[in-house]
Amino acid sequence: MALNEKFLWGGATAANQAEGGVLEGGRGLSNVDLLPTGEDRKKVASGYLEMLEWKEGYYYPAKEAVDMYHRYMEDIQLFAEMGFKVYRMSLSWSRIFPNGDDAEPNEAGLAFYESIFKELKKHHIEPLVTIAHFDVPVGLIKRYGGWKNRQLIDFYVHYAETVLKRYRGLVKYWLTINEINVLLHQPFVGGGIVFEETDNKQEIKYQAAHHQLVASALVTKAAHEVDTQNMVGCMLAGGSHYPYTCRPEDYQEAINRDREGYFFIDVQARGKYPNYALKKFEREALNIQMAETDEATLAASPVDFVTFSYYCSRTVSAHPEDYAEATGNLFPSIKNEYLPSTEWGWQIDALGLRNSLNQLYDRYQKPLFIVENGLGAKDTPDENGYVEDDYRIDYLREHIQAFKDAVEIDGVELLGYTTWGCIDLVAASTGQMSKRYGFIYVDRDDEGNGTLARSKKKSFDWYKKVIASNGEYL
């Protein structure tokens, strides 16, 4: 069973990492606009440092990012040249509702995205649109406390219904909330949450999660009502967990870590809370407030497909001392001696992608979509901006072969594949430009210097051939 001829090849970006144009066209400030570079970035992301406005002495890379706000036509032309069938992008909530609770949307923001969708359609590229990609208007944080407040359900649904109606016929594929499980690890990024010292942080995070899950279900319902052709997906920060040893407690820890993320998708894909989550709330005395109608709301509108990001697998242990030299990204992992690592310590595991696909498909029996996968690396361009990035080609070749095996050998139903950062953009974890993912080099450094000129890397022409051959040329 080879890849379907309608398989959606493409690339992915996020507004806060690529768009720039912050405060232009009537846009308001968003939580992710406030992530500085440097040591305080992680503190802000985790909700432990209240910085709800720009401050002197900090560099905020999202302000201009790679300026797709002004250059999107040039960038879409390059995507079309590669042969993209789909382009995953996100909307900036605060570009459409500057304060989040505005009664009426910002027309300039709506028109901006409409022009992007029309340009994509002109090149026969399907938009795959994330409604909220780590994006909460600062107004909703200051006035309501972010997603810990149930009122955000109404504001989010109003925002989503606005864009669903405005872009009817232009957008078919929608994702409600990006990497929804990140809320548990970076609550300011995932939910616009700032903690007080006396807060029950675990309870607040799961309460915010419940609000997001209800909101997602309501928007899924609305999407189907606005247009029966709409397909709505959920989005998980994915990657299988391996037990560090054959000790049964390590295996149990791997199951628990998988469940930490699957909990969200269990609700979105199956329409109800899994028993293990309810028992966790009971065991840890987490008082999660739920409205009488919430159970029915969740049950009525499961998503149509499941999407996820995959960069690496993770190795975990039940014994804290084993984490003396933790590696990886947002999710701490013990170094796996059988795997190579990137320059940022993320371990490269293509077979782990196949494993993750099988786990998700076995669990949900719904179509899957890989919406983020890529290699962050330091690129050294020549005088013409050309980068010999064979290391990126090698990484992507191995991962594409892995998902082909999942489809052709294992029978997984896979809709498409969008590489992360098809054009260089601001890294979410560090705010750096030097951690590059794209097929297109952008002349920009970690301090914001550079011309922003675009140039093709070696991987550009390679991926073009991959798409043209529907994955046969690797």
Side-chain angles (χ1 to χ4, degrees):
M1 186 172 67
L3 295 179
N4 188 291
E5 62 180 12
K6 295 182 179 179
F7 189 81
L8 294 169
W9 294 93
T13 65
N16 66 87
Q17 293 170 256
E19 196 172 281
V22 173
L23 302 185
E24 291 193 51
R27 184 185 183 280
L29 269 182
S30 180
N31 57 333
V32 280
D33 299 330
L34 302 177
L35 296 177
T37 54
E39 295 180 359
D40 280 340
R41 187 177 182 86
K42 287 185 177 179
K43 294 179 183 177
V44 176
S46 298
Y48 294 105
L49 185 64
E50 186 171 357
M51 293 174 63
L52 299 182
E53 57 188 25
W54 286 323
K55 296 184 181 296
E56 292 292 329
Y58 288 94
Y59 170 58
Y60 297 94
K63 272 189 176 182
E64 191 172 16
V66 296
D67 196 29
M68 287 188 78
Y69 182 73
H70 296 105
R71 298 168 179 258
Y72 68 87
M73 293 187 70
E74 173 189 357
D75 295 334
I76 291 171
Q77 178 63 47
L78 289 166
F79 301 158
E81 187 178 338
M82 271 188 282
F84 278 19
K85 310 297 183 187
V86 63
Y87 169 50
R88 182 195 172 209
M89 55 174 282
S90 72
L91 307 177
S92 166
W93 186 347
S94 60
R95 190 175 293 288
I96 294 172
F97 287 93
N99 301 297
D101 60 355
D102 312 77
E104 299 296 330
N106 172 31
E107 174 57 30
L110 288 169
F112 169 70
Y113 291 116
E114 183 173 336
S115 64
I116 290 179
F117 298 144
K118 288 180 176 178
E119 187 68 16
L120 289 168
K121 289 292 188 182
K122 189 169 75 176
H123 293 283
H124 309 291
I125 299 172
E126 285 283 352
L128 170 60
V129 177
T130 310
I131 298 173
H133 189 126
F134 301 151
D135 190 18
V136 183
V138 168
L140 296 183
I141 301 172
K142 287 182 175 180
R143 287 190 285 279
Y144 306 95
W147 275 101
K148 64 184 178 184
N149 190 319
R150 189 176 176 94
Q151 287 181 267
L152 258 75
I153 295 176
D154 293 335
F155 299 134
Y156 174 79
V157 171
H158 180 48
Y159 156 52
E161 288 179 340
T162 300
V163 299
L164 287 166
K165 292 173 183 176
R166 176 63 175 254
Y167 306 130
R168 185 180 187 277
L170 288 173
V171 180
K172 173 184 177 182
Y173 299 100
W174 298 90
L175 304 181
T176 53
I177 297 173
N178 179 69
E179 291 188 329
I180 191 168
N181 51 318
V182 166
L183 174 65
L184 301 181
H185 302 271
Q186 290 191 334
F188 182 74
V189 170
I193 296 168
V194 178
F195 291 122
E196 302 291 339
E197 284 299 321
T198 57
D199 282 343
N200 182 335
K201 299 176 180 62
Q202 191 79 332
E203 184 172 280
I204 287 173
K205 288 189 286 187
Y206 277 101
Q207 184 67 66
H210 178 70
H211 295 155
Q212 290 190 346
L213 291 168
V214 172
S216 177
L218 289 168
V219 169
T220 302
K221 180 176 183 288
H224 293 149
E225 290 173 347
V226 168
D227 189 344
T228 57
Q229 299 301 307
N230 279 336
M231 291 186 66
V232 184
C234 53
M235 206 299 207
L236 171 76
S240 302
H241 289 87
Y242 300 150
Y244 182 48
T245 73
C246 291
R247 292 175 296 196
E249 59 266 33
D250 285 356
Y251 179 68
Q252 180 65 50
E253 182 65 17
I255 292 173
N256 292 340
R257 293 292 187 91
D258 279 342
R259 280 177 165 178
E260 187 180 84
Y262 289 157
F263 143 71
F264 292 90
I265 313 305
D266 284 350
V267 178
Q268 291 176 294
R270 293 172 169 167
K272 62 181 293 187
Y273 273 88
N275 287 341
Y276 66 82
L278 297 175
K279 293 299 288 186
K280 176 185 176 68
F281 298 161
E282 178 186 314
R283 186 173 61 252
E284 298 182 13
L286 303 180
N287 182 25
I288 309 304
Q289 298 294 313
M290 302 185 187
E292 289 184 8
T293 57
D294 287 352
E295 185 176 345
T297 296
L298 296 174
S301 300
V303 293
D304 303 306
F305 62 104
V306 174
T307 81
F308 67 105
S309 60
Y310 180 88
Y311 297 95
C312 54
S313 56
R314 303 146 194 164
T315 303
V316 297
S317 168
H319 302 270
E321 62 270 19
D322 290 333
Y323 290 88
E325 296 182 10
T327 185
N329 55 3
L330 183 61
F331 307 90
S333 172
I334 299 166
K335 188 174 178 62
N336 188 331
E337 62 180 298
Y338 300 103
L339 298 174
S341 298
T342 72
E343 295 169 88
W344 275 266
W346 299 24
Q347 297 206 268
I348 300 172
D349 180 12
L351 183 56
L353 174 56
R354 180 179 173 185
N355 294 337
S356 295
L357 282 161
N358 276 284
Q359 286 181 345
L360 288 165
Y361 195 64
D362 288 350
R363 192 176 186 100
Y364 301 118
Q365 300 290 293
K366 285 181 180 281
L368 304 180
F369 203 133
I370 304 164
V371 294
E372 290 186 29
N373 173 241
L375 176 70
K378 293 180 180 177
D379 292 337
T380 305
D382 64 16
E383 64 276 7
N384 298 313
Y386 185 73
V387 176
E388 293 266 1
D389 57 343
D390 293 284
Y391 41 87
R392 182 168 292 108
I393 293 172
D394 290 342
Y395 175 97
L396 293 173
R397 177 188 295 117
E398 292 174 3
H399 285 75
I400 291 171
Q401 185 60 59
F403 77 65
K404 285 179 62 182
D405 289 344
V407 172
E408 296 169 4
I409 298 172
D410 306 326
V412 168
E413 185 179 358
L414 187 63
L415 297 175
Y417 172 72
T418 56
T419 67
W420 178 248
C422 46
I423 182 171
D424 289 347
L425 39 62
V426 175
S429 56
T430 63
Q432 294 173 292
M433 277 299 302
S434 56
K435 186 180 183 183
R436 298 177 182 271
Y437 287 88
F439 304 113
I440 302 162
Y441 184 85
V442 177
D443 180 25
R444 190 73 158 180
D445 66 18
D446 291 344
E447 286 72 48
N449 303 307
T451 64
L452 292 169
R454 276 66 163 149
S455 55
K456 304 171 190 175
K457 303 178 189 178
K458 184 176 181 178
S459 57
F460 182 102
D461 289 317
W462 173 81
Y463 195 49
K464 180 178 180 179
K465 293 176 182 176
V466 172
I467 295 174
S469 67
N470 199 28
E472 292 303 307
Y473 173 89
L474 291 179

